[in-house]
């Protein structure tokens, strides 16, 4: 149990700093008797004097008093940083970055490079995961900040929007729709769809249809983006994905056509997310600024409409 309060630590440090009860009381805007009572109580709890008192002379610290005040000053500084973490001159030496699995091939490497360049003294590690995995890691404190979509997060998360990502339909070149420049959800309703196996991602796409009163048919749920692309290239249906590499061939060397889905409510923001809504310590605050500046540029890169 702690018997000495932070206020009492503050009083003792002020006496040591100013050399008298009256000067310390004036600096703290408290009464001299209150200060004297606090000092007496602290010394009684410790069992030894912190100051030498001589009539007509300034109070001087005992050897034990000097050590106590030195440690108390550190304690008060640490307590102040808990209340005002953004005032800390030095932040953490370790930053843990998370990235949604479909966004990672587009943005993870550039994010790491930007952080490593700007924060050379910080050890940066990363984790690539699903929506649910990232949310769990953010909540548990295993990840400090994540690059993801604004899906599944409640008011307990802080989010900064980086750019809007537009979904694309992926289909083989011999499909009747391959000759058009874009499609809508209404046009895709009658087509067999290939969606991600990732729960929140698939649910989000299906909700886009349902909000318009459309009832699509799901032919496949693919574990990875490249499986989606391969199935689409082989004519197994039309894949819908926010991650859309500017590559007209699947891994198994089949041609693909990539069409933007232009329903205005289909775009989904890519965000920087962290758990909590209060101020953060210096390293994380710097990382947020660095990542925001670096990744916001992706809004101008048509070939990297990720997700």
């Amino acid at each position: 149990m702690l018997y000495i309060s932070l206020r009492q630590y503050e009083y003792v440090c002020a006496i040591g700093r100013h050399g008298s009860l009256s000067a310390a009381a004036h600096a703290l805007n408290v009464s001299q008797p209150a200060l004297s009572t606090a000092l007496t109580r602290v010394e009684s709890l410790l069992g030894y004097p912190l100051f030498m008192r001589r009539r007509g002379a300034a109070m001087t610290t005992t050897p034990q008093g000097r050590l106590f005040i030195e440690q108390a000053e550190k304690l008060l500084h640490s307590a102040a940083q808990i209340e005002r973490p953004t005032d800390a001159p030095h932040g953490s030496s370790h930053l843990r970055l998370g990235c949604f699995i479909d966004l990672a091939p587009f943005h993870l490497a550039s994010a790491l490079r930007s952080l490593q360049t700007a924060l050379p003294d910080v050890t940066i590690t990363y984790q690539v995961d699903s929506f649910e995995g990232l949310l769990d890691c953010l909540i548990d404190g295993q990840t400090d900040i994540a690059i993801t979509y604004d899906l599944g997060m409640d008011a307990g998360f802080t989010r900064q929007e980086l750019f809007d990502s537009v979904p694309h339909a992926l289909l083989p070149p011999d499909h009747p729709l391959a000759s058009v420049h874009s499609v809508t959800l209404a046009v895709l309703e009658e087509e067999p769809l290939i969606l991600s196996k990732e729960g929140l991602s698939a649910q989000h796409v299906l909700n886009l249809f349902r909000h318009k009163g459309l009832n699509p048919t799901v032919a496949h749920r693919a574990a990875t983006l490249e499986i989606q692309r391969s199935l689409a290239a082989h004519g197994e249906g039309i894949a819908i994905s926010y991650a859309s590499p500017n590559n007209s061939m699947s891994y198994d060397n089949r041609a693909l056509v990539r069409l933007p889905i232009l329903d205005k409510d289909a775009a989904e923001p890519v965000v920087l997310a962290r758990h909590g809504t209060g101020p953060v310590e210096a390293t994380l605050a710097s990382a947020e600024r660095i990542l925001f500046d670096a990744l916001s540029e992706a809004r101008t890169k048509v070939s990297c409409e990720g997700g």
Side-chain angles (χ1 to χ4, degrees):
M1 181 179 293
L2 298 177
Y3 295 97
I4 301 175
S5 68
L6 287 177
R7 180 66 68 191
Q8 289 168 333
Y9 280 115
E10 183 182 19
Y11 285 176
V12 172
C13 289
I15 296 168
R17 190 179 309 117
H18 294 281
S20 72
L21 289 170
S22 59
H26 178 75
L28 294 174
N29 196 28
V30 298
S31 70
Q32 186 171 327
L35 211 58
S36 178
T37 299
L39 175 58
T40 300
R41 174 169 172 74
V42 171
E43 290 181 325
S44 176
L45 287 169
L46 293 174
Y48 53 81
L50 298 175
F51 296 93
M52 296 176 63
R53 301 167 176 80
R54 295 189 180 92
R55 185 178 297 277
M59 297 175 67
T60 58
T61 55
T62 64
Q64 296 89 348
R66 284 192 293 273
L67 179 60
F68 179 89
I69 290 174
E70 179 182 339
Q71 293 173 332
E73 293 279 14
K74 292 178 181 178
L75 175 62
L76 291 170
H77 177 76
S78 296
Q81 297 312 317
I82 292 173
E83 294 183 0
R84 299 184 301 274
T86 54
D87 292 344
H90 303 292
S92 171
S93 61
H94 187 194
L95 179 74
R96 298 160 298 186
L97 175 67
C99 190
F100 176 57
I101 188 168
D102 283 359
L103 285 168
F106 300 95
H107 303 296
L108 179 60
S110 62
L112 288 173
R113 177 56 60 88
S114 297
L115 290 171
Q116 290 163 349
T117 300
L119 302 172
D121 297 326
V122 177
T123 300
I124 299 166
T125 57
Y126 67 88
Q127 176 170 340
V128 174
D129 213 327
S130 64
F131 287 120
E132 289 90 345
L134 283 179
L135 294 183
D136 287 344
C137 286
L138 287 168
I139 292 171
D140 294 342
Q142 299 175 40
T143 297
D144 298 310
I145 191 168
I147 305 164
T148 184
Y149 288 95
D150 193 0
L151 297 178
M153 286 179 279
D154 57 26
F157 289 85
T158 295
R159 299 176 285 272
Q160 294 186 67
E161 185 173 330
L162 298 170
F163 56 89
D164 282 333
S165 179
V166 176
H168 284 73
L170 307 175
L171 54 152
D174 59 354
H175 192 283
L177 292 175
S179 60
V180 302
H181 296 294
S182 63
V183 291
T184 63
L185 294 170
V187 169
L188 298 176
E189 180 188 20
E190 301 302 322
E191 300 289 339
L193 301 182
I194 306 167
L195 303 183
S196 169
K197 193 175 181 179
E198 216 290 333
L200 281 176
S201 178
Q203 191 61 44
H204 171 71
V205 172
L206 290 174
N207 283 339
L208 292 176
F209 283 93
R210 290 166 182 159
H211 288 162
K212 294 179 177 293
L214 306 173
N215 296 294
T217 300
V218 179
H220 297 279
R221 292 180 183 266
T224 68
L225 172 60
E226 281 306 325
I227 293 176
Q228 270 189 291
R229 286 165 50 81
S230 179
L231 288 169
H234 281 266
E236 288 291 315
I238 293 181
I240 296 180
S241 177
Y242 283 84
S244 185
N246 191 18
N247 184 345
S248 61
M249 305 297 289
S250 65
Y251 273 10
D252 55 353
N253 207 33
R254 289 291 194 119
L256 274 169
V257 173
R258 171 177 172 264
L259 302 175
I261 300 172
L262 294 186
D263 298 68
K264 65 178 183 179
D265 55 348
E268 184 65 24
V270 175
V271 300
L272 277 179
R274 60 176 170 84
H275 190 239
T277 57
V280 294
E281 53 85 24
T283 297
L284 183 52
S286 296
E288 284 186 321
R289 291 192 297 270
I290 294 160
L291 291 172
F292 182 84
D293 291 342
L295 296 176
S296 293
E297 296 176 4
R299 72 174 70 240
T300 64
K301 297 179 182 178
V302 177
S303 63
C304 291
E305 293 178 302

